[in-house]
């Protein structure tokens, strides 16, 4: 087994239902996690819910529930959406679990013992929606820079000596140029840290819903310190002898949205440095989805319900759209038109037709069996298969090193395009009449390319890729990246399943005549 791989999503606030943004973050991690598993790595893929803090307490109160009652219920919909979208998480952590609380309190005591936490008092602005502190100069028109309302807070507070880490962080960023990605985001963090770091308030006294500060229960631990620790407590921390901890820490990738990069790329590494723990290898900040150009928000009433679109368009269709639509790291704009157009042109026409017309010809003309080449392959056949077999070498660094999700799909579609052009130039329907042995060679070549595509598509559209591989008769145990070689090629003469269309064209619900 090659190197273990640990990938995490942010843990979600369950005060509102999962939406397209939260599904997106987990989906990106899912594609990477599935890819790494198929490539022979032992993977841990973690997600969960961030259940403490003032925001949750307020939401529960509004609903007339206790916070615990509220989060027990609300966290379920984040679990449910995982199954709907085929998101292959290995663990789901809730910050109200004992395993988490224990680890956070231990960590607090450690930082305190090392002299990085001291008691003082906080006077400043706080945005409950962001669960973040702001200074007067941060504010824009009386609001947080994120647009969240702020309130003035004055209370006793413990502080973390963040200011002591400014130089250490800058040194770390300089010696680990890949620590924060993409580059534009790295530059933002660098200039923030160069601008100077103030000590960070890490406890609150004006509400109760949180993990009590050990030894001073009138304080609860600041929800971001609590939440960030999930990445460690899910591995069994503070027990550093545990296999999970020794195998998976430091994490390979913390995937986050750009809005929460500062917490992950500044505060989190500083906390870890203070505790003398190794830092994660990479923080990747992806962009934000808008809906037809508008910021998605409850108040605008333009929230995209992930359950509804999965139901309407199909899970793999939505997975495909979200990953292909934006160069990973950029912002993306969701629209029904864009989704339908991509599904129809790329999944139904380009990939679907390739599979459907190839397998239908095989079914009809090769006695429902894999074609049996009886004459030598020509250069063009060999070149196409060679390209298919070597594609993994190009994809691997893109995903493993750069998390370049949309580029991975672009590369697959180049092969789809090559294969479709090959069908057109070879015209197997004509060969059927004038050169049947050559037809068998051409159809075999196509099936082999489709087998490779099916294997490589599994991380992106797992259910559809499985259907493709089932139709070709590829055994379940022969679907890893190790099998992407000529030695595991399809067996000539093996029976195949009757081909079924995999990607039906979507009707545009508003303009059916345009499809
Ligand atoms: N609880 C914190 C994270 C703690 S991690 C130690 C939090 N939760 S959140 O539910 O508000 O957001 C979770 C993730 O969803 C963030 O990465 C955020 O960027 C992402 N998204 C929320 N809305 C989004 C879009 N419209 N588009 C893309 N992602 C967005 O922050």
């Amino acid at each position: 087994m090659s190197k273990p791989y640990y990938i995490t999503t942010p843990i979600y606030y369950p005060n509102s239902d999962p939406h397209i943004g939260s599904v997106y973050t987990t989906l990106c991690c899912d594609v990477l996690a599935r890819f790494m598993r198929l490539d022979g790595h032992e993977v841990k893929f973690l997600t969960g819910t961030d259940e403490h803090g003032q925001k949750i307490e307020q939401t529960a109160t509004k609903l007339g529930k206790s916070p615990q009652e509220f989060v027990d219920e609300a966290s379920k919909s984040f679990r449910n959406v995982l199954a709907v979208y085929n998101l292959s998480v290995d663990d789901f952590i809730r910050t109200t679990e004992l395993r988490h609380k224990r680890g956070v309190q231990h960590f607090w005591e450690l930082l305190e013992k090392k002299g990085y936490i001291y008691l003082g008092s906080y006077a400043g602005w706080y945005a409950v929606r962001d669960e973040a502190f702001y200074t007067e100069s941060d504010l824009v028109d009386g609001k947080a820079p994120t647009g969240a309302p702020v309130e003035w807070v004055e209370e006793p507070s413990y502080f973390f000596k963040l200011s002591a880490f400014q130089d250490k962080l800058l040194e770390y960023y300089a010696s680990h140029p890949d620590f924060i990605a993409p580059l534009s985001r790295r530059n933002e963090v660098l200039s923030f840290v160069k601008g100077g770091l103030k000590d960070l308030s890490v406890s609150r006294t004006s509400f109760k819903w949180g993990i009590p500060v050990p030894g001073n229960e009138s304080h609860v631990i600041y929800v971001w310190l609590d939440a960030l620790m999930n990445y460690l407590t899910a591995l069994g921390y503070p027990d550093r002898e545990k296999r999970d901890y020794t195998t998976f820490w430091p994490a390979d990738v913390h995937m986050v949205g750009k809005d929460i990069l500062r917490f992950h790329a500044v505060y989190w590494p500083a906390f870890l440095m203070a505790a003398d723990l190794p830092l994660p290898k990479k923080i990747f900040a992806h962009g934000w989805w808008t809906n037809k150009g508008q910021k998605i928000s409850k108040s605008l009433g333009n929230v995209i319900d992930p359950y509804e679109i999965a139901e309407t368009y199909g899970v793999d269709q939505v997975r495909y759209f979200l990953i292909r639509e934006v160069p990973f790291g950029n912002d993306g704009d969701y629209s029904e038109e864009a989704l339908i157009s991509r599904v129809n042109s790329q999944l139904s026409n380009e990939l679907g037709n390739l599979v459907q017309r190839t397998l239908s010809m095989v079914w009809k003309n090769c006695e429902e069996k894999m074609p049996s080449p009886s004459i030598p392959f020509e250069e063009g056949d060999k070149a196409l298969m060679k390209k298919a077999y070597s594609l993994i070498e190009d994809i691997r660094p893109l995903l493993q090193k750069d998390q370049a999700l949309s580029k991975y799909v672009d590369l697959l579609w180049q092969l789809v395009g090559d294969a479709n052009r090959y069908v057109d130039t070879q015209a197997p329907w004509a060969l059927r009449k004038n050169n049947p042995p050559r037809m068998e060679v051409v159809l075999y070549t196509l099936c082999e390319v489709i087998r490779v595509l099916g294997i490589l598509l599994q991380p992106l559209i797992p259910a559809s890729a499985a259907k493709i591989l089932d139709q070709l008769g590829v055994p379940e145990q022969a679907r890893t990246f190790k099998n992407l070689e000529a030695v595991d090629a399809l067996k000539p003469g093996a029976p195949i399943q009757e081909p079924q269309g995999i990607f039906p064209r979507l009707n545009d619900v508003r303009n059916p005549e345009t499809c």
Side-chain angles (χ1 to χ4, degrees):
M1 186 71 70
S2 2
K3 256 173 68 247
Y5 185 76
Y6 181 32
I7 185 163
T8 65
T9 75
I11 47 172
Y12 301 101
Y13 290 127
N15 64 305
S16 55
D17 287 332
H19 53 71
I20 193 84
S22 46
V23 168
Y24 179 64
T25 316
T26 315
L27 170 63
C28 296
C29 294
D30 185 59
V31 176
L32 293 167
R34 286 176 182 274
F35 183 90
M36 296 304 279
R37 286 191 201 106
L38 287 163
D39 213 13
H41 297 263
E42 185 188 358
V43 170
K44 183 158 178 105
F45 170 16
L46 176 71
T47 191
T49 39
D50 186 355
E51 303 188 353
H52 289 128
Q54 204 170 359
K55 176 154 75 172
I56 299 289
E57 193 184 80
Q58 285 180 356
T59 311
T61 309
K62 254 189 232 146
L63 296 170
K65 294 185 178 170
S66 75
Q68 188 64 56
E69 216 185 336
F70 170 69
V71 293
D72 284 348
E73 195 51 41
S75 148
K76 283 189 199 143
S77 55
F78 283 85
R79 238 181 235 277
N80 293 342
V81 83
L82 300 175
V84 171
Y85 275 87
N86 235 330
L87 301 165
S88 61
V89 305
D90 298 299
D91 194 1
F92 187 100
I93 188 156
R94 300 181 52 194
T95 54
T96 50
E97 286 174 78
L98 191 62
R99 61 169 170 163
H100 177 73
K101 294 195 253 187
R102 206 170 62 97
V104 174
Q105 288 189 321
H106 175 94
F107 191 75
W108 177 283
E109 282 169 335
L110 181 70
L111 295 194
E112 202 171 23
K113 214 179 297 157
K114 286 180 180 270
Y116 289 114
I117 285 184
Y118 63 91
L119 186 60
S121 66
Y122 177 77
W125 297 100
Y126 192 79
V128 177
R129 194 169 90 193
D130 301 343
E131 295 285 17
F133 300 94
Y134 292 107
T135 60
E136 186 71 42
S137 59
D138 289 332
L139 301 192
V140 183
D141 299 331
K143 289 191 169 175
T146 56
V150 289
E151 61 189 35
W152 183 255
V153 170
E154 269 187 54
E155 58 188 9
S157 176
Y158 285 93
F159 283 83
F160 170 72
K161 283 191 187 162
L162 185 62
S163 56
F165 292 90
Q166 179 172 357
D167 293 341
K168 285 187 195 129
L169 284 168
L170 289 171
E171 273 162 35
Y172 193 84
Y173 302 146
S175 57
H176 297 80
D178 294 330
F179 179 58
I180 304 167
L183 194 62
S184 56
R185 302 269 163 239
R186 177 177 188 268
N187 294 338
E188 282 171 22
V189 172
L190 250 63
S191 60
F192 172 75
V193 176
K194 281 184 188 151
L197 294 177
K198 289 205 212 51
D199 289 352
L200 179 71
S201 167
V202 284
S203 76
R204 304 285 316 272
T205 47
S206 47
F207 65 94
K208 287 266 150 275
W209 185 239
I211 302 176
V213 165
N216 188 350
E217 306 234 327
S218 57
H219 291 246
V220 291
I221 296 176
Y222 174 41
V223 65
W224 268 100
L225 172 51
D226 166 348
L228 287 160
M229 281 297 292
N230 89 90
Y231 304 129
L232 278 176
T233 55
L235 300 179
Y237 181 88
D239 184 353
R240 290 162 61 195
E241 304 298 310
K242 267 226 158 123
R243 181 177 182 276
D244 259 5
Y245 181 87
T246 56
T247 309
F248 293 113
W249 194 256
D252 292 271
V253 184
H254 288 322
M255 188 70 74
V256 299
K258 63 180 182 181
D259 53 318
I260 57 171
L261 179 59
R262 186 178 298 177
F263 299 95
H264 284 83
V266 182
Y267 303 163
W268 181 226
F271 295 152
L272 291 167
M273 282 174 174
D276 280 326
L277 289 171
L279 268 49
K281 292 178 207 151
K282 180 178 271 186
I283 318 286
F284 192 106
H286 66 67
W288 264 53
W289 283 91
T290 49
N291 185 352
K292 294 193 181 134
Q294 275 191 318
K295 190 173 157 52
I296 298 176
S297 83
K298 267 203 229 164
S299 52
L300 290 172
N302 64 352
V303 173
I304 299 152
D305 177 359
Y307 291 104
E308 201 177 297
I309 58 172
E311 178 77 29
T312 311
Y313 304 112
V315 168
D316 279 350
Q317 283 77 351
V318 177
R319 286 179 63 115
Y320 175 80
F321 171 75
L322 291 177
I323 298 292
R324 184 92 198 258
E325 181 70 5
V326 283
F328 194 50
N330 293 7
D331 290 337
D333 189 36
Y334 177 88
S335 79
E336 199 171 44
E337 292 83 344
L339 190 155
I340 291 174
S341 139
R342 274 201 187 275
V343 168
N344 283 345
S345 67
Q346 293 162 353
L347 283 180
S348 305
N349 291 356
E350 295 169 11
L351 175 62
N353 273 351
L354 170 68
V355 176
Q356 180 76 10
R357 60 181 174 161
T358 301
L359 293 185
S360 302
M361 280 187 280
V362 171
W363 181 259
K364 285 192 205 125
N365 305 317
C366 308
E367 299 171 350
E368 303 172 11
K369 291 191 194 116
M370 213 21 84
S372 301
S374 57
I375 56 170
F377 288 89
E378 293 180 1
E379 285 314 310
D381 316 329
K382 288 192 222 160
L384 185 61
M385 283 191 284
K386 191 164 166 238
K387 183 161 181 189
Y389 294 142
S390 63
L391 200 52
I392 181 67
E393 307 304 334
D394 300 330
I395 292 176
R396 190 176 280 123
L398 282 181
L399 287 186
Q400 211 165 306
K401 205 176 131 298
D402 301 330
Q403 294 75 41
L405 291 162
S406 58
K407 283 196 195 151
Y408 140 71
V409 190
D410 291 344
L411 282 188
L412 288 181
W413 253 255
Q414 280 176 20
L415 183 61
V416 171
D418 289 345
N420 273 321
R421 276 186 291 280
Y422 174 86
V423 180
D424 294 339
T425 53
Q426 298 297 324
W429 49 88
L431 294 170
R432 185 172 67 92
K433 293 184 211 120
N434 54 32
N435 191 350
R438 176 70 194 146
M439 177 199 71
E440 300 256 343
V441 170
V442 167
L443 290 179
Y444 182 86
T445 304
L446 282 165
C447 287
E448 192 46 15
V449 171
I450 294 171
R451 178 183 75 91
V452 168
L453 278 169
I455 292 178
L456 291 173
L457 281 164
Q458 291 175 101
L460 179 68
I461 44 173
S464 310
K467 282 191 200 155
I468 295 175
L469 296 169
D470 287 348
Q471 297 195 9
L472 285 170
V474 178
E476 298 232 346
Q477 69 281 8
R479 298 180 180 186
T480 73
F481 296 163
K482 270 214 186 97
N483 306 109
L484 287 170
E485 292 185 359
V487 283
D488 285 320
L490 293 157
K491 303 277 168 289
I496 65 159
Q497 285 182 6
E498 181 167 10
Q500 312 280 344
I502 296 171
F503 304 105
R505 281 179 69 82
L506 295 176
N507 290 322
D508 185 328
V509 273
R510 287 148 304 104
N511 301 304
E513 69 282 2
T514 61
C515 293

